[in-house]
mmCIF file with all atom_site columns, all heavy atoms in Angstrom:
data_model
loop_
_atom_site.group_PDB
_atom_site.id
_atom_site.type_symbol
_atom_site.label_atom_id
_atom_site.label_alt_id
_atom_site.label_comp_id
_atom_site.label_asym_id
_atom_site.label_entity_id
_atom_site.label_seq_id
_atom_site.pdbx_PDB_ins_code
_atom_site.Cartn_x
_atom_site.Cartn_y
_atom_site.Cartn_z
_atom_site.occupancy
_atom_site.B_iso_or_equiv
_atom_site.pdbx_formal_charge
_atom_site.auth_seq_id
_atom_site.auth_comp_id
_atom_site.auth_asym_id
_atom_site.auth_atom_id
_atom_site.pdbx_PDB_model_num
ATOM 1   N N   . ASN B 1 281 ? 125.045 -8.662  -25.726 1.00 86.00 ? 281 ASN B N   1
ATOM 2   C CA  . ASN B 1 281 ? 124.072 -9.158  -26.695 1.00 86.00 ? 281 ASN B CA  1
ATOM 3   C C   . ASN B 1 281 ? 122.639 -8.969  -26.254 1.00 86.00 ? 281 ASN B C   1
ATOM 4   O O   . ASN B 1 281 ? 121.716 -9.330  -26.966 1.00 86.00 ? 281 ASN B O   1
ATOM 5   C CB  . ASN B 1 281 ? 124.302 -10.657 -26.937 1.00 86.00 ? 281 ASN B CB  1
ATOM 6   C CG  . ASN B 1 281 ? 125.635 -10.929 -27.598 1.00 86.00 ? 281 ASN B CG  1
ATOM 7   O OD1 . ASN B 1 281 ? 126.197 -10.039 -28.222 1.00 86.00 ? 281 ASN B OD1 1
ATOM 8   N ND2 . ASN B 1 281 ? 126.156 -12.125 -27.446 1.00 86.00 ? 281 ASN B ND2 1
ATOM 9   N N   . LEU B 1 282 ? 122.464 -8.426  -25.051 1.00 87.00 ? 282 LEU B N   1
ATOM 10  C CA  . LEU B 1 282 ? 121.138 -8.423  -24.449 1.00 87.00 ? 282 LEU B CA  1
ATOM 11  C C   . LEU B 1 282 ? 120.118 -7.635  -25.265 1.00 87.00 ? 282 LEU B C   1
ATOM 12  O O   . LEU B 1 282 ? 118.979 -8.063  -25.453 1.00 87.00 ? 282 LEU B O   1
ATOM 13  C CB  . LEU B 1 282 ? 121.233 -7.861  -23.030 1.00 87.00 ? 282 LEU B CB  1
ATOM 14  C CG  . LEU B 1 282 ? 120.251 -8.444  -22.034 1.00 87.00 ? 282 LEU B CG  1
ATOM 15  C CD1 . LEU B 1 282 ? 120.389 -9.949  -21.956 1.00 87.00 ? 282 LEU B CD1 1
ATOM 16  C CD2 . LEU B 1 282 ? 120.484 -7.843  -20.649 1.00 87.00 ? 282 LEU B CD2 1
ATOM 17  N N   . GLN B 1 283 ? 120.537 -6.479  -25.777 1.00 90.00 ? 283 GLN B N   1
ATOM 18  C CA  . GLN B 1 283 ? 119.628 -5.636  -26.548 1.00 90.00 ? 283 GLN B CA  1
ATOM 19  C C   . GLN B 1 283 ? 119.140 -6.420  -27.766 1.00 90.00 ? 283 GLN B C   1
ATOM 20  O O   . GLN B 1 283 ? 117.950 -6.418  -28.085 1.00 90.00 ? 283 GLN B O   1
ATOM 21  C CB  . GLN B 1 283 ? 120.341 -4.355  -26.970 1.00 90.00 ? 283 GLN B CB  1
ATOM 22  C CG  . GLN B 1 283 ? 119.411 -3.323  -27.580 1.00 90.00 ? 283 GLN B CG  1
ATOM 23  C CD  . GLN B 1 283 ? 119.516 -3.231  -29.096 1.00 90.00 ? 283 GLN B CD  1
ATOM 24  O OE1 . GLN B 1 283 ? 120.337 -3.899  -29.720 1.00 90.00 ? 283 GLN B OE1 1
ATOM 25  N NE2 . GLN B 1 283 ? 118.678 -2.388  -29.686 1.00 90.00 ? 283 GLN B NE2 1
ATOM 26  N N   . GLU B 1 284 ? 120.059 -7.139  -28.402 1.00 90.00 ? 284 GLU B N   1
ATOM 27  C CA  . GLU B 1 284 ? 119.696 -7.938  -29.562 1.00 90.00 ? 284 GLU B CA  1
ATOM 28  C C   . GLU B 1 284 ? 118.724 -9.041  -29.190 1.00 90.00 ? 284 GLU B C   1
ATOM 29  O O   . GLU B 1 284 ? 117.730 -9.275  -29.894 1.00 90.00 ? 284 GLU B O   1
ATOM 30  C CB  . GLU B 1 284 ? 120.972 -8.513  -30.145 1.00 90.00 ? 284 GLU B CB  1
ATOM 31  C CG  . GLU B 1 284 ? 120.777 -9.222  -31.436 1.00 90.00 ? 284 GLU B CG  1
ATOM 32  C CD  . GLU B 1 284 ? 122.094 -9.800  -31.952 1.00 90.00 ? 284 GLU B CD  1
ATOM 33  O OE1 . GLU B 1 284 ? 123.164 -9.263  -31.615 1.00 90.00 ? 284 GLU B OE1 1
ATOM 34  O OE2 . GLU B 1 284 ? 122.025 -10.804 -32.674 1.00 90.00 ? 284 GLU B OE2 1
ATOM 35  N N   . TYR B 1 285 ? 118.989 -9.702  -28.069 1.00 90.00 ? 285 TYR B N   1
ATOM 36  C CA  . TYR B 1 285 ? 118.061 -10.750 -27.619 1.00 90.00 ? 285 TYR B CA  1
ATOM 37  C C   . TYR B 1 285 ? 116.671 -10.159 -27.384 1.00 90.00 ? 285 TYR B C   1
ATOM 38  O O   . TYR B 1 285 ? 115.649 -10.757 -27.767 1.00 90.00 ? 285 TYR B O   1
ATOM 39  C CB  . TYR B 1 285 ? 118.536 -11.378 -26.308 1.00 90.00 ? 285 TYR B CB  1
ATOM 40  C CG  . TYR B 1 285 ? 119.874 -12.097 -26.372 1.00 90.00 ? 285 TYR B CG  1
ATOM 41  C CD1 . TYR B 1 285 ? 120.674 -12.200 -25.239 1.00 90.00 ? 285 TYR B CD1 1
ATOM 42  C CD2 . TYR B 1 285 ? 120.314 -12.689 -27.554 1.00 90.00 ? 285 TYR B CD2 1
ATOM 43  C CE1 . TYR B 1 285 ? 121.888 -12.844 -25.273 1.00 90.00 ? 285 TYR B CE1 1
ATOM 44  C CE2 . TYR B 1 285 ? 121.540 -13.342 -27.594 1.00 90.00 ? 285 TYR B CE2 1
ATOM 45  C CZ  . TYR B 1 285 ? 122.318 -13.413 -26.454 1.00 90.00 ? 285 TYR B CZ  1
ATOM 46  O OH  . TYR B 1 285 ? 123.527 -14.050 -26.495 1.00 90.00 ? 285 TYR B OH  1
ATOM 47  N N   . ALA B 1 286 ? 116.646 -8.970  -26.738 1.00 90.00 ? 286 ALA B N   1
ATOM 48  C CA  . ALA B 1 286 ? 115.354 -8.355  -26.429 1.00 90.00 ? 286 ALA B CA  1
ATOM 49  C C   . ALA B 1 286 ? 114.598 -8.031  -27.727 1.00 90.00 ? 286 ALA B C   1
ATOM 50  O O   . ALA B 1 286 ? 113.383 -8.201  -27.808 1.00 90.00 ? 286 ALA B O   1
ATOM 51  C CB  . ALA B 1 286 ? 115.562 -7.103  -25.607 1.00 90.00 ? 286 ALA B CB  1
ATOM 52  N N   . VAL B 1 287 ? 115.323 -7.564  -28.736 1.00 92.00 ? 287 VAL B N   1
ATOM 53  C CA  . VAL B 1 287 ? 114.664 -7.255  -30.020 1.00 92.00 ? 287 VAL B CA  1
ATOM 54  C C   . VAL B 1 287 ? 114.060 -8.522  -30.614 1.00 92.00 ? 287 VAL B C   1
ATOM 55  O O   . VAL B 1 287 ? 112.928 -8.541  -31.085 1.00 92.00 ? 287 VAL B O   1
ATOM 56  C CB  . VAL B 1 287 ? 115.667 -6.604  -30.998 1.00 92.00 ? 287 VAL B CB  1
ATOM 57  C CG1 . VAL B 1 287 ? 115.067 -6.504  -32.399 1.00 92.00 ? 287 VAL B CG1 1
ATOM 58  C CG2 . VAL B 1 287 ? 116.079 -5.221  -30.508 1.00 92.00 ? 287 VAL B CG2 1
ATOM 59  N N   . HIS B 1 288 ? 114.804 -9.614  -30.526 1.00 93.00 ? 288 HIS B N   1
ATOM 60  C CA  . HIS B 1 288 ? 114.273 -10.880 -31.036 1.00 93.00 ? 288 HIS B CA  1
ATOM 61  C C   . HIS B 1 288 ? 113.021 -11.289 -30.272 1.00 93.00 ? 288 HIS B C   1
ATOM 62  O O   . HIS B 1 288 ? 112.060 -11.744 -30.857 1.00 93.00 ? 288 HIS B O   1
ATOM 63  C CB  . HIS B 1 288 ? 115.347 -11.981 -30.953 1.00 93.00 ? 288 HIS B CB  1
ATOM 64  C CG  . HIS B 1 288 ? 116.309 -11.933 -32.088 1.00 93.00 ? 288 HIS B CG  1
ATOM 65  N ND1 . HIS B 1 288 ? 116.295 -12.817 -33.133 1.00 93.00 ? 288 HIS B ND1 1
ATOM 66  C CD2 . HIS B 1 288 ? 117.318 -11.061 -32.362 1.00 93.00 ? 288 HIS B CD2 1
ATOM 67  C CE1 . HIS B 1 288 ? 117.263 -12.511 -33.989 1.00 93.00 ? 288 HIS B CE1 1
ATOM 68  N NE2 . HIS B 1 288 ? 117.899 -11.455 -33.541 1.00 93.00 ? 288 HIS B NE2 1
ATOM 69  N N   . LEU B 1 289 ? 113.073 -11.134 -28.929 1.00 91.00 ? 289 LEU B N   1
ATOM 70  C CA  . LEU B 1 289 ? 111.899 -11.492 -28.134 1.00 91.00 ? 289 LEU B CA  1
ATOM 71  C C   . LEU B 1 289 ? 110.695 -10.645 -28.522 1.00 91.00 ? 289 LEU B C   1
ATOM 72  O O   . LEU B 1 289 ? 109.577 -11.141 -28.654 1.00 91.00 ? 289 LEU B O   1
ATOM 73  C CB  . LEU B 1 289 ? 112.195 -11.291 -26.645 1.00 91.00 ? 289 LEU B CB  1
ATOM 74  C CG  . LEU B 1 289 ? 113.026 -12.375 -25.973 1.00 91.00 ? 289 LEU B CG  1
ATOM 75  C CD1 . LEU B 1 289 ? 113.415 -11.940 -24.563 1.00 91.00 ? 289 LEU B CD1 1
ATOM 76  C CD2 . LEU B 1 289 ? 112.256 -13.695 -25.919 1.00 91.00 ? 289 LEU B CD2 1
ATOM 77  N N   . LEU B 1 290 ? 110.944 -9.366  -28.725 1.00 91.00 ? 290 LEU B N   1
ATOM 78  C CA  . LEU B 1 290 ? 109.881 -8.437  -29.061 1.00 91.00 ? 290 LEU B CA  1
ATOM 79  C C   . LEU B 1 290 ? 109.193 -8.836  -30.369 1.00 91.00 ? 290 LEU B C   1
ATOM 80  O O   . LEU B 1 290 ? 107.974 -8.731  -30.516 1.00 91.00 ? 290 LEU B O   1
ATOM 81  C CB  . LEU B 1 290 ? 110.434 -7.026  -29.167 1.00 91.00 ? 290 LEU B CB  1
ATOM 82  C CG  . LEU B 1 290 ? 109.482 -5.871  -29.367 1.00 91.00 ? 290 LEU B CG  1
ATOM 83  C CD1 . LEU B 1 290 ? 108.473 -5.818  -28.241 1.00 91.00 ? 290 LEU B CD1 1
ATOM 84  C CD2 . LEU B 1 290 ? 110.272 -4.560  -29.412 1.00 91.00 ? 290 LEU B CD2 1
ATOM 85  N N   . TYR B 1 291 ? 109.953 -9.338  -31.308 1.00 93.00 ? 291 TYR B N   1
ATOM 86  C CA  . TYR B 1 291 ? 109.389 -9.648  -32.620 1.00 93.00 ? 291 TYR B CA  1
ATOM 87  C C   . TYR B 1 291 ? 109.123 -11.138 -32.814 1.00 93.00 ? 291 TYR B C   1
ATOM 88  O O   . TYR B 1 291 ? 109.093 -11.617 -33.933 1.00 93.00 ? 291 TYR B O   1
ATOM 89  C CB  . TYR B 1 291 ? 110.272 -9.079  -33.725 1.00 93.00 ? 291 TYR B CB  1
ATOM 90  C CG  . TYR B 1 291 ? 110.190 -7.571  -33.718 1.00 93.00 ? 291 TYR B CG  1
ATOM 91  C CD1 . TYR B 1 291 ? 111.155 -6.815  -33.053 1.00 93.00 ? 291 TYR B CD1 1
ATOM 92  C CD2 . TYR B 1 291 ? 109.105 -6.919  -34.294 1.00 93.00 ? 291 TYR B CD2 1
ATOM 93  C CE1 . TYR B 1 291 ? 111.053 -5.436  -32.993 1.00 93.00 ? 291 TYR B CE1 1
ATOM 94  C CE2 . TYR B 1 291 ? 108.993 -5.547  -34.242 1.00 93.00 ? 291 TYR B CE2 1
ATOM 95  C CZ  . TYR B 1 291 ? 109.957 -4.806  -33.587 1.00 93.00 ? 291 TYR B CZ  1
ATOM 96  O OH  . TYR B 1 291 ? 109.851 -3.438  -33.513 1.00 93.00 ? 291 TYR B OH  1
ATOM 97  N N   . GLY B 1 292 ? 108.971 -11.861 -31.697 1.00 90.00 ? 292 GLY B N   1
ATOM 98  C CA  . GLY B 1 292 ? 108.433 -13.212 -31.850 1.00 90.00 ? 292 GLY B CA  1
ATOM 99  C C   . GLY B 1 292 ? 109.269 -14.372 -31.368 1.00 90.00 ? 292 GLY B C   1
ATOM 100 O O   . GLY B 1 292 ? 108.828 -15.511 -31.457 1.00 90.00 ? 292 GLY B O   1
ATOM 101 N N   . ALA B 1 293 ? 110.508 -14.114 -30.833 1.00 90.00 ? 293 ALA B N   1
ATOM 102 C CA  . ALA B 1 293 ? 111.277 -15.234 -30.304 1.00 90.00 ? 293 ALA B CA  1
ATOM 103 C C   . ALA B 1 293 ? 110.686 -15.677 -28.961 1.00 90.00 ? 293 ALA B C   1
ATOM 104 O O   . ALA B 1 293 ? 110.125 -14.860 -28.242 1.00 90.00 ? 293 ALA B O   1
ATOM 105 C CB  . ALA B 1 293 ? 112.731 -14.829 -30.118 1.00 90.00 ? 293 ALA B CB  1
ATOM 106 N N   . ARG B 1 294 ? 110.798 -16.940 -28.663 1.00 88.00 ? 294 ARG B N   1
ATOM 107 C CA  . ARG B 1 294 ? 110.387 -17.413 -27.350 1.00 88.00 ? 294 ARG B CA  1
ATOM 108 C C   . ARG B 1 294 ? 111.611 -17.400 -26.443 1.00 88.00 ? 294 ARG B C   1
ATOM 109 O O   . ARG B 1 294 ? 112.749 -17.497 -26.891 1.00 88.00 ? 294 ARG B O   1
ATOM 110 C CB  . ARG B 1 294 ? 109.834 -18.846 -27.438 1.00 88.00 ? 294 ARG B CB  1
ATOM 111 C CG  . ARG B 1 294 ? 108.729 -18.977 -28.496 1.00 88.00 ? 294 ARG B CG  1
ATOM 112 C CD  . ARG B 1 294 ? 107.880 -20.175 -28.192 1.00 88.00 ? 294 ARG B CD  1
ATOM 113 N NE  . ARG B 1 294 ? 107.313 -20.005 -26.846 1.00 88.00 ? 294 ARG B NE  1
ATOM 114 C CZ  . ARG B 1 294 ? 106.923 -21.019 -26.083 1.00 88.00 ? 294 ARG B CZ  1
ATOM 115 N NH1 . ARG B 1 294 ? 107.050 -22.254 -26.503 1.00 88.00 ? 294 ARG B NH1 1
ATOM 116 N NH2 . ARG B 1 294 ? 106.427 -20.792 -24.892 1.00 88.00 ? 294 ARG B NH2 1
ATOM 117 N N   . LEU B 1 295 ? 111.361 -17.314 -25.132 1.00 86.00 ? 295 LEU B N   1
ATOM 118 C CA  . LEU B 1 295 ? 112.456 -17.255 -24.173 1.00 86.00 ? 295 LEU B CA  1
ATOM 119 C C   . LEU B 1 295 ? 113.339 -18.496 -24.291 1.00 86.00 ? 295 LEU B C   1
ATOM 120 O O   . LEU B 1 295 ? 114.560 -18.421 -24.171 1.00 86.00 ? 295 LEU B O   1
ATOM 121 C CB  . LEU B 1 295 ? 111.870 -17.144 -22.769 1.00 86.00 ? 295 LEU B CB  1
ATOM 122 C CG  . LEU B 1 295 ? 112.652 -16.295 -21.768 1.00 86.00 ? 295 LEU B CG  1
ATOM 123 C CD1 . LEU B 1 295 ? 112.984 -14.927 -22.308 1.00 86.00 ? 295 LEU B CD1 1
ATOM 124 C CD2 . LEU B 1 295 ? 111.865 -16.165 -20.474 1.00 86.00 ? 295 LEU B CD2 1
ATOM 125 N N   . GLU B 1 296 ? 112.719 -19.632 -24.575 1.00 87.00 ? 296 GLU B N   1
ATOM 126 C CA  . GLU B 1 296 ? 113.490 -20.872 -24.729 1.00 87.00 ? 296 GLU B CA  1
ATOM 127 C C   . GLU B 1 296 ? 114.497 -20.758 -25.872 1.00 87.00 ? 296 GLU B C   1
ATOM 128 O O   . GLU B 1 296 ? 115.616 -21.252 -25.773 1.00 87.00 ? 296 GLU B O   1
ATOM 129 C CB  . GLU B 1 296 ? 112.577 -22.076 -25.025 1.00 87.00 ? 296 GLU B CB  1
ATOM 130 C CG  . GLU B 1 296 ? 111.709 -22.507 -23.878 1.00 87.00 ? 296 GLU B CG  1
ATOM 131 C CD  . GLU B 1 296 ? 110.358 -21.829 -23.880 1.00 87.00 ? 296 GLU B CD  1
ATOM 132 O OE1 . GLU B 1 296 ? 110.323 -20.572 -23.849 1.00 87.00 ? 296 GLU B OE1 1
ATOM 133 O OE2 . GLU B 1 296 ? 109.341 -22.533 -23.927 1.00 87.00 ? 296 GLU B OE2 1
ATOM 134 N N   . SER B 1 297 ? 114.069 -20.117 -26.959 1.00 89.00 ? 297 SER B N   1
ATOM 135 C CA  . SER B 1 297 ? 114.981 -19.971 -28.101 1.00 89.00 ? 297 SER B CA  1
ATOM 136 C C   . SER B 1 297 ? 116.196 -19.151 -27.700 1.00 89.00 ? 297 SER B C   1
ATOM 137 O O   . SER B 1 297 ? 117.328 -19.489 -28.060 1.00 89.00 ? 297 SER B O   1
ATOM 138 C CB  . SER B 1 297 ? 114.290 -19.260 -29.256 1.00 89.00 ? 297 SER B CB  1
ATOM 139 O OG  . SER B 1 297 ? 113.040 -19.835 -29.507 1.00 89.00 ? 297 SER B OG  1
ATOM 140 N N   . ILE B 1 298 ? 115.945 -18.092 -26.938 1.00 87.00 ? 298 ILE B N   1
ATOM 141 C CA  . ILE B 1 298 ? 117.065 -17.247 -26.526 1.00 87.00 ? 298 ILE B CA  1
ATOM 142 C C   . ILE B 1 298 ? 117.969 -18.007 -25.575 1.00 87.00 ? 298 ILE B C   1
ATOM 143 O O   . ILE B 1 298 ? 119.192 -17.920 -25.641 1.00 87.00 ? 298 ILE B O   1
ATOM 144 C CB  . ILE B 1 298 ? 116.540 -15.965 -25.847 1.00 87.00 ? 298 ILE B CB  1
ATOM 145 C CG1 . ILE B 1 298 ? 115.642 -15.179 -26.806 1.00 87.00 ? 298 ILE B CG1 1
ATOM 146 C CG2 . ILE B 1 298 ? 117.691 -15.079 -25.363 1.00 87.00 ? 298 ILE B CG2 1
ATOM 147 C CD1 . ILE B 1 298 ? 116.320 -14.713 -28.070 1.00 87.00 ? 298 ILE B CD1 1
ATOM 148 N N   . PHE B 1 299 ? 117.367 -18.813 -24.707 1.00 86.00 ? 299 PHE B N   1
ATOM 149 C CA  . PHE B 1 299 ? 118.152 -19.640 -23.789 1.00 86.00 ? 299 PHE B CA  1
ATOM 150 C C   . PHE B 1 299 ? 119.062 -20.585 -24.576 1.00 86.00 ? 299 PHE B C   1
ATOM 151 O O   . PHE B 1 299 ? 120.258 -20.688 -24.296 1.00 86.00 ? 299 PHE B O   1
ATOM 152 C CB  . PHE B 1 299 ? 117.216 -20.439 -22.882 1.00 86.00 ? 299 PHE B CB  1
ATOM 153 C CG  . PHE B 1 299 ? 117.919 -21.241 -21.837 1.00 86.00 ? 299 PHE B CG  1
ATOM 154 C CD1 . PHE B 1 299 ? 118.584 -20.606 -20.811 1.00 86.00 ? 299 PHE B CD1 1
ATOM 155 C CD2 . PHE B 1 299 ? 117.922 -22.622 -21.870 1.00 86.00 ? 299 PHE B CD2 1
ATOM 156 C CE1 . PHE B 1 299 ? 119.252 -21.336 -19.840 1.00 86.00 ? 299 PHE B CE1 1
ATOM 157 C CE2 . PHE B 1 299 ? 118.575 -23.368 -20.914 1.00 86.00 ? 299 PHE B CE2 1
ATOM 158 C CZ  . PHE B 1 299 ? 119.235 -22.723 -19.886 1.00 86.00 ? 299 PHE B CZ  1
ATOM 159 N N   . GLN B 1 300 ? 118.503 -21.205 -25.591 1.00 88.00 ? 300 GLN B N   1
ATOM 160 C CA  . GLN B 1 300 ? 119.319 -22.097 -26.445 1.00 88.00 ? 300 GLN B CA  1
ATOM 161 C C   . GLN B 1 300 ? 120.477 -21.323 -27.056 1.00 88.00 ? 300 GLN B C   1
ATOM 162 O O   . GLN B 1 300 ? 121.614 -21.781 -27.074 1.00 88.00 ? 300 GLN B O   1
ATOM 163 C CB  . GLN B 1 300 ? 118.487 -22.623 -27.614 1.00 88.00 ? 300 GLN B CB  1
ATOM 164 C CG  . GLN B 1 300 ? 117.569 -23.780 -27.271 1.00 88.00 ? 300 GLN B CG  1
ATOM 165 C CD  . GLN B 1 300 ? 116.630 -24.065 -28.431 1.00 88.00 ? 300 GLN B CD  1
ATOM 166 O OE1 . GLN B 1 300 ? 116.850 -23.627 -29.567 1.00 88.00 ? 300 GLN B OE1 1
ATOM 167 N NE2 . GLN B 1 300 ? 115.569 -24.802 -28.146 1.00 88.00 ? 300 GLN B NE2 1
ATOM 168 N N   . ARG B 1 301 ? 120.145 -20.131 -27.547 1.00 88.00 ? 301 ARG B N   1
ATOM 169 C CA  . ARG B 1 301 ? 121.170 -19.349 -28.210 1.00 88.00 ? 301 ARG B CA  1
ATOM 170 C C   . ARG B 1 301 ? 122.301 -18.988 -27.249 1.00 88.00 ? 301 ARG B C   1
ATOM 171 O O   . ARG B 1 301 ? 123.476 -19.091 -27.596 1.00 88.00 ? 301 ARG B O   1
ATOM 172 C CB  . ARG B 1 301 ? 120.521 -18.081 -28.781 1.00 88.00 ? 301 ARG B CB  1
ATOM 173 C CG  . ARG B 1 301 ? 121.504 -17.157 -29.444 1.00 88.00 ? 301 ARG B CG  1
ATOM 174 C CD  . ARG B 1 301 ? 120.753 -16.106 -30.208 1.00 88.00 ? 301 ARG B CD  1
ATOM 175 N NE  . ARG B 1 301 ? 121.616 -15.048 -30.687 1.00 88.00 ? 301 ARG B NE  1
ATOM 176 C CZ  . ARG B 1 301 ? 121.172 -13.983 -31.322 1.00 88.00 ? 301 ARG B CZ  1
ATOM 177 N NH1 . ARG B 1 301 ? 119.882 -13.838 -31.566 1.00 88.00 ? 301 ARG B NH1 1
ATOM 178 N NH2 . ARG B 1 301 ? 122.020 -13.063 -31.732 1.00 88.00 ? 301 ARG B NH2 1
ATOM 179 N N   . ILE B 1 302 ? 121.926 -18.578 -26.033 1.00 86.00 ? 302 ILE B N   1
ATOM 180 C CA  . ILE B 1 302 ? 122.946 -18.221 -25.052 1.00 86.00 ? 302 ILE B CA  1
ATOM 181 C C   . ILE B 1 302 ? 123.800 -19.447 -24.688 1.00 86.00 ? 302 ILE B C   1
ATOM 182 O O   . ILE B 1 302 ? 125.021 -19.373 -24.590 1.00 86.00 ? 302 ILE B O   1
ATOM 183 C CB  . ILE B 1 302 ? 122.305 -17.627 -23.775 1.00 86.00 ? 302 ILE B CB  1
ATOM 184 C CG1 . ILE B 1 302 ? 121.593 -16.329 -24.105 1.00 86.00 ? 302 ILE B CG1 1
ATOM 185 C CG2 . ILE B 1 302 ? 123.373 -17.374 -22.711 1.00 86.00 ? 302 ILE B CG2 1
ATOM 186 C CD1 . ILE B 1 302 ? 120.911 -15.663 -22.918 1.00 86.00 ? 302 ILE B CD1 1
ATOM 187 N N   . MET B 1 303 ? 123.129 -20.589 -24.541 1.00 85.00 ? 303 MET B N   1
ATOM 188 C CA  . MET B 1 303 ? 123.866 -21.809 -24.200 1.00 85.00 ? 303 MET B CA  1
ATOM 189 C C   . MET B 1 303 ? 124.861 -22.173 -25.289 1.00 85.00 ? 303 MET B C   1
ATOM 190 O O   . MET B 1 303 ? 126.025 -22.463 -25.003 1.00 85.00 ? 303 MET B O   1
ATOM 191 C CB  . MET B 1 303 ? 122.890 -22.981 -24.001 1.00 85.00 ? 303 MET B CB  1
ATOM 192 C CG  . MET B 1 303 ? 122.209 -23.001 -22.660 1.00 85.00 ? 303 MET B CG  1
ATOM 193 S SD  . MET B 1 303 ? 123.354 -23.025 -21.298 1.00 85.00 ? 303 MET B SD  1
ATOM 194 C CE  . MET B 1 303 ? 123.868 -24.723 -21.318 1.00 85.00 ? 303 MET B CE  1
#
Side-chain angles (χ1 to χ4, degrees):
Chain B
N281 294 339
L282 213 56
Q283 189 256 357
E284 187 181 334
Y285 297 152
V287 170
H288 279 255
L289 282 171
L290 186 58
Y291 291 96
R294 308 202 58 205
L295 215 51
E296 290 91 303
S297 311
I298 301 298
F299 184 68
Q300 281 170 16
R301 177 168 171 184
I302 297 179
M303 280 303 283

